[in-house]
């Protein structure tokens, strides 16, 4: 008969030790529990136990400091780390120091038992190396359940080179996650290069990504190095991938399939030595159905999806984020401020259409404009009232006008356009961006009947046909 496996537990909370001991015993495991790191270490040194479950904060030693020591003398012994601190730094340190899994407190007992089962069934692994400590430079803030899952996912991905797709509304922190994947990952010594697909003119995007040879096109007086070459050995962040034009999508797919590319006008293949992290606020599956995004490229990019929750889904993180942003404002030279309980209640009640970016801007505004050290609820309410969308006669929020939407889009374009690249077709580009959805919706409303669509738009039929060809719109025939 097979001997039952032994689980070693170290936690200074007697109630947690009792709950874990009883649950594991009912599952057929032998259990030894202690409140001190020293006792746990003595058991490990004596060769006892098949799995360790340890808290981080204990009276005599930090549990995280034990993990690399355990892995050095017994690399086959799996360690599960639990913590009530529940920060990104804790999750990263646990993973980097060799923990099999990190669980925030309070934990789900079924999940913990599942982790124990997986850890005992997993094949032996080589000894983990103790990476240098990244310190408390936190790129991500929050202790909500949604953020805990993101911390754990990011921690796991730092040991791989897998392609990642980050989705979420504008202002949720997609680039922060991409930078965390790079800064804590295998390629952290290499460059992090970001490119915003929505900020590059269509005809220049391939040259931006892959570079160009001298004379490849008008104005190419010298060889240009693309972002793939700039990011060699590091991470290439493709932001707003949903705005990539079809021709560039095809070429990117080829690079992902073959692992190499050629410059525009070049013939010599260049190895693509980058990790790809993509991001978008758009629904790529909807774009695929509309024929605007390649399905095969989507599956190449969506190897590991990470969805960032909007701020309204993590309301419990708002006080922590607000304090974080006020601290950053003070570090940048603005006066130090605090928030009253009424102010925090007002922040929690807001819908936050601009997400964490909107919250940060508000905190900086409060720090700059209000003289009082403790910001009250009235000040927060007054500032948030300015951000509320206008309402119609029925009291419902009204969407922004087309002019306001276009202005916001252009502001995003200008702010993202920081590399000095010359733009010569902004007028035509904006017109095309408005024409494309207008014509597509008109054709949809008339079930593909171009005569009816031309009449709806007030265009000549031949003009409509020309526009369809120029904008490369998919045409659905035979539906009239």
């Amino acid at each position: 008969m097979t001997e039952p496996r032994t689980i070693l537990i170290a936690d200074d909370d007697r109630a947690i030790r009792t709950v874990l001991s009883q649950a594991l015993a009912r599952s057929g495991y032998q259990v030894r529990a202690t409140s001190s790191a020293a006792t746990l270490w003595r058991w490990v040194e004596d060769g006892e136990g098949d799995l360790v479950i340890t808290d981080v904060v204990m009276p005599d030693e930090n549990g995280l400091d034990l993990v690399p020591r355990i892995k050095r003398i017994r690399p086959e012994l799996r360690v599960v780390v639990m913590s009530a601190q529940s920060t990104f730094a804790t999750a990263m340190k646990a993973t980097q120091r060799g923990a099999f899994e990190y669980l925030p407190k309070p934990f789900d007992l079924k999940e913990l038992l599942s982790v124990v089962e997986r850890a005992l069934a997993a094949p032996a692994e080589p000894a983990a190396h103790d990476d240098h400590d990244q310190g408390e430079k936190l790129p991500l803030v929050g202790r909500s359940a949604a953020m805990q899952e993101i911390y754990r996912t990011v921690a796991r991905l730092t040991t791989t080179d897998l392609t990642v797709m980050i989705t979420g509304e504008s202002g949720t922190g997609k680039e922060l996650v991409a930078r965390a994947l790079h800064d804590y990952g295998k390629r952290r010594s290499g460059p992090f290069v970001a490119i915003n697909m929505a900020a590059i003119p269509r005809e220049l995007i391939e040259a931006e990504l892959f570079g160009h040879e001298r004379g490849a096109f008008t104005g190419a007086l010298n060889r240009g190095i693309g972002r793939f070459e700039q990011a060699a050995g590091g991470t290439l962040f493709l932001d707003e991938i949903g705005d990539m034009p079809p021709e560039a999508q095809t070429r990117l797919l080829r690079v992902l399939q073959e692992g190499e590319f050629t410059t525009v006008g070049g013939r010599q293949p260049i190895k693509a030595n980058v990790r790809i992290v993509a991001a978008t606020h758009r629904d790529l599956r909807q774009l695929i159905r509309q024929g605007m995004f390649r399905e095969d490229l989507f599956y190449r990019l969506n190897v590991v999806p990470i969805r960032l929750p909007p701020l309204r889904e993590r309301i419990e993180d708002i006080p922590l984020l607000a304090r974080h942003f006020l601290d950053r404002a003070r570090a940048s030279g603005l006066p130090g401020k605090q928030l009253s309980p009424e102010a925090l209640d007002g922040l929690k009640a807001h819908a936050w259409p601009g997400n964490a970016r909107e919250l940060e801007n508000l905190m900086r505004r409060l720090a700059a404009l209000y003289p009082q050290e403790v910001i009250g609820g009235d000040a927060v309410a007054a500032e948030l009232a300015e951000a509320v969308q206008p309402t119609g006669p029925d009291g419902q929020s009204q969407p922004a006008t087309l002019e306001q939407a276009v202005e916001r889009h252009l502001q995003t374009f200008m702010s993202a356009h920081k590399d000095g690249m010359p733009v010569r077709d902004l007028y035509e580009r904006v017109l095309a961006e408005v024409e494309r959805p207008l014509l597509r919706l008109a054709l949809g409303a008339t079930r593909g009947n171009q005569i009816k669509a031309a009449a709806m738009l007030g265009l000549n039929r031949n003009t409509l046909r020309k526009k369809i060809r120029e904008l490369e719109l998919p045409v659905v025939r035979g539906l009239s």
Side-chain angles (χ1 to χ4, degrees), residues 390-398:
T391 57
D394 58 356
Q396 298 296 313
S397 295
Q398 299 297 302

Side-chain angles (χ1 to χ4, degrees), residues 237-382:
F237 177 48
L238 304 176
D239 198 8
E240 298 302 348
I241 192 73
D243 292 288
M244 176 178 272
E247 57 273 16
Q249 292 179 31
T250 301
R251 189 155 185 190
L252 176 60
L253 176 64
R254 194 177 307 123
V255 175
L256 294 177
Q257 289 173 334
E258 299 174 2
E260 60 184 25
F261 62 94
T262 56
T263 59
V264 176
R267 296 183 179 180
Q268 185 66 34
I270 301 172
K271 183 175 176 59
N273 179 23
V274 299
R275 181 192 195 165
I276 298 290
V277 178
T280 183
H281 73 281
R282 306 182 69 178
D283 184 344
L284 292 185
R285 296 183 189 275
Q286 179 66 25
L287 294 182
I288 290 170
R289 289 191 290 270
Q290 295 172 351
M292 299 175 63
F293 200 85
R294 293 189 61 126
E295 186 174 16
D296 45 5
L297 176 59
F298 170 77
Y299 288 116
R300 284 279 180 176
L301 293 170
N302 199 50
V303 177
V304 181
I306 297 178
R307 175 188 175 270
L308 296 188
L311 196 52
R312 61 184 174 273
E313 292 182 11
R314 43 184 293 227
I315 293 174
E316 61 268 45
D317 287 337
I318 287 176
L320 193 62
L321 281 166
R323 286 193 292 271
H324 172 73
F325 291 140
L326 285 174
D327 288 343
R328 287 180 56 171
R330 183 175 57 199
S332 67
L334 292 173
K337 303 291 180 182
Q338 297 180 19
L339 296 168
S340 71
E342 294 77 18
L344 289 174
D345 289 341
L347 295 178
K348 291 179 181 179
H350 186 56
W352 299 110
N355 291 295
R357 184 184 297 125
E358 180 187 359
L359 176 59
E360 179 173 18
N361 290 340
L362 173 62
M363 292 301 102
R364 296 183 69 85
R365 195 159 64 248
L366 290 171
L369 299 181
Y370 288 81
Q372 57 266 43
E373 183 178 341
V374 179
I375 304 295
D378 291 343
V380 168

Side-chain angles (χ1 to χ4, degrees), residues 146-184:
M147 291 306 295
Q148 290 302 316
E149 187 57 36
I150 289 170
Y151 296 164
R152 293 167 64 186
T153 300
V154 170
R156 294 186 189 110
L157 289 174
T158 55
T159 61
T160 77
D161 246 356
L162 294 175
T163 302
V164 178
M165 172 69 78
I166 307 169
T167 58
E169 297 177 7
S170 294
T172 50
K174 295 186 288 294
E175 184 166 348
L176 287 178
V177 172
R179 287 189 176 275
L181 287 167
H182 172 78
D183 292 342
Y184 293 85

